[in-house]
Amino acid sequence: MTAPYDPSDREKVVAKLPSELRRELKVRAAELDTDIQDAVTLGVEAWRKTKSQIAVDTTGGSSFATYLPAGLYDKLKKDCKARGITYNQGIAQSIRLWLDRHPSPRPKPQRVTGARRIIFGNQKGGVGKTSVSAGVAQALAESGHRTLLIDFDPQGHLTKQLGHPLIEIDSPSLAKHMLGEVKAGGLADLLVPIKGGDFEDHLWLLPACKDAFLLDAKLATSRVVRIKETALEKALEPLEHDFDFIVVDCPPSLGYSMDTAIYYCRTRDGEDNDASGIVVPVLSEDSSADAYDMLEDQIQDLTEDLGVEITQLGFVVNMYDSRKGYVATSSLEEWQKIGEPPVLAIVPELKDQREAVRVKTPLLAHAPYCEQAEAMRTIARRISG
């Protein structure tokens, strides 16, 4: 097994559900900080106790998978047979019942600071910043949040993995906007809608550009950008009120580019301390801890030099596999012992993410019910709550 828990007390179930019901379930579960599988379980248990039935139109339904406690699946099928309805209808009615009994909480007051800004950073490469930032952005969008995902890494892996080309070196780009090399505005024209899954119509990508490798050097010598750390914020400011979340996949660097990203996620005046901040993907091994020490020093330097507050929202222990033995398990324990910032989730080492990258499809569209996808939803709930 690859995760530090035993899932043997649950069994996978698959049904056909209409897309609107699936989306409503995911949004409500996110609003109430509830796992989807727990919501469905509660719905099934409640449905089995009630004699009334709320017919749900399941025409044109597509695949939906979740996990129910062992034995509940068979009981549900028997109840469906006794009531003369299909299993798909039984699951749909159970979900509808849970939704009706768990209404959406009152909307939060209107933000005065624009989008919430979440950056994913770690000086060490290969820890999965790209896969985690992309998965969390998809989960946020799936929950009904208008989300912008920014490929701020000059290598452009995020852009390529989602099946899009990098912006050409002579074209307008985020880097050129940061350096004042293009007219104000127009950045919105570069956004690409990400299709597929229940996040469609809520997720956009700002692709990487081939000239991004030059950004650090140009920021260091630019006379146009007076305060280097503000360059990313000034470039993105026109977009902020169009989105609920802006998610940034940062470069594995401690240079000026990373400074601008860290400054961008600072706590602004009038903003809750945990509304924006940095998430740090790590591995269960010592080199990740060494890299985090360097990142923490950089955050501390910016905090002291500029008099700002940077919230570390938490760690994501990525690509975890307990079969690697003591090195992995003991390292995981060390991350968990830190306590603050907390470990937001443990993402198991499975083939689903690699397959999604190979076919250039978002994880939550390629394998929406895999363990890795559920981990992304957990992270999204914890940072958006």
Side-chain angles (χ1 to χ4, degrees):
M1 61 186 282
T2 59
Y5 52 83
D6 183 1
S8 61
D9 60 339
R10 286 183 178 268
E11 55 187 336
K12 185 175 182 179
V13 296
V14 181
K16 296 283 188 180
L17 295 179
S19 59
E20 286 304 314
L21 185 63
R22 289 200 323 269
R23 178 171 292 181
E24 188 177 357
L25 171 64
K26 291 173 181 178
V27 170
R28 190 69 49 78
E31 289 177 336
L32 299 175
D33 194 18
T34 300
D35 283 332
I36 292 174
Q37 62 183 15
D38 293 335
V40 177
T41 297
L42 290 172
V44 170
E45 291 173 341
W47 179 81
R48 295 189 64 235
K49 294 176 183 177
T50 183
K51 294 182 179 179
S52 60
Q53 296 188 41
I54 306 173
V56 178
D57 184 3
T58 57
T59 304
S62 56
S63 181
F64 167 82
T66 189
Y67 292 84
L68 295 178
L72 186 57
Y73 176 55
D74 288 334
K75 293 176 182 177
L76 175 64
K77 288 193 292 186
K78 290 178 181 178
D79 287 342
C80 290
K81 185 176 181 181
R83 299 186 191 192
I85 61 174
T86 65
Y87 165 66
N88 286 335
Q89 184 64 210
I91 285 285
Q93 289 186 19
S94 298
I95 292 173
R96 184 72 265 162
L97 181 62
W98 182 84
L99 288 167
D100 291 345
R101 291 187 177 183
H102 296 80
S104 175
R106 293 180 179 180
K108 297 180 180 179
Q110 182 66 35
R111 295 186 311 276
V112 296
T113 56
R116 295 172 62 178
R117 305 157 316 281
I118 312 296
I119 73 168
F120 287 76
N122 190 329
Q123 185 273 341
K124 177 178 170 56
V127 298
K129 291 187 296 295
T130 296
S131 62
V132 176
S133 59
V136 172
Q138 292 160 40
L140 288 169
E142 185 183 73
S143 299
H145 300 292
R146 287 176 60 86
T147 304
L148 173 60
L149 178 59
I150 296 177
D151 191 349
F152 198 44
D153 186 342
Q155 298 175 89
H157 291 315
L158 173 60
T159 302
K160 297 171 187 175
Q161 288 178 14
L162 293 176
H164 295 279
L166 272 63
I167 295 173
E168 291 298 327
I169 196 166
D170 294 327
S171 301
S173 66
L174 175 58
K176 288 185 175 66
H177 278 269
M178 290 174 63
L179 294 165
E181 296 178 356
V182 291
K183 294 181 179 180
L187 199 57
D189 296 335
L190 304 179
L191 306 189
V192 178
I194 303 300
K195 303 292 186 179
D198 290 337
F199 52 77
E200 190 164 316
D201 300 325
H202 286 80
L203 181 62
W204 285 261
L205 169 71
L206 178 53
C209 179
K210 294 178 180 179
D211 67 353
F213 282 105
L214 305 173
L215 183 58
D216 271 355
K218 287 188 174 183
L219 280 173
T221 58
S222 174
R223 295 182 179 180
V224 176
V225 184
R226 294 183 179 180
I227 303 176
K228 316 298 184 187
E229 292 82 3
T230 66
L232 180 61
E233 178 166 292
K234 289 180 178 178
L236 295 177
E237 186 177 10
L239 300 177
E240 286 192 4
H241 288 281
D242 293 330
F243 295 96
D244 300 308
F245 283 89
I246 294 180
V247 176
V248 183
D249 177 28
C250 294
S253 162
L254 296 176
Y256 279 123
S257 296
M258 192 62 195
D259 279 348
T260 68
I262 295 173
Y263 180 82
Y264 184 57
C265 76
R266 78 192 186 286
T267 301
R268 295 176 177 173
D269 292 340
E271 189 174 40
D272 292 338
N273 287 342
D274 59 353
S276 300
I278 181 170
V279 175
V280 186
V282 298
L283 302 179
S284 284
E285 38 97 284
D286 292 339
S287 63
S288 281
D290 295 338
Y292 172 64
D293 288 341
M294 290 186 282
L295 176 62
E296 190 170 33
D297 287 342
Q298 184 177 18
I299 293 172
Q300 188 63 35
D301 288 344
L302 278 173
T303 299
E304 295 175 356
D305 292 346
L306 301 177
V308 296
E309 182 175 346
I310 311 294
T311 299
Q312 296 186 48
L313 297 171
F315 302 107
V316 174
V317 182
N318 195 27
M319 296 182 280
Y320 180 79
D321 189 344
S322 62
R323 294 173 300 183
K324 294 179 180 178
Y326 176 75
V327 171
T329 57
S330 60
S331 180
L332 173 61
E333 290 174 359
E334 291 300 316
W335 289 118
Q336 292 172 323
K337 284 179 183 178
I338 292 175
E340 191 61 41
V343 171
L344 299 172
I346 301 164
V347 184
E349 170 62 27
L350 297 170
K351 62 181 177 61
D352 304 279
Q353 178 62 54
R354 294 192 298 273
E355 289 178 349
V357 171
R358 184 68 181 86
V359 297
K360 293 181 170 53
T361 302
L363 174 65
L364 270 64
H366 174 72
Y369 307 113
C370 70
E371 286 184 61
Q372 291 170 324
E374 291 300 334
M376 301 304 170
R377 294 186 181 104
T378 297
I379 300 165
R381 284 198 307 273
R382 296 196 67 181
I383 65 177
S384 65

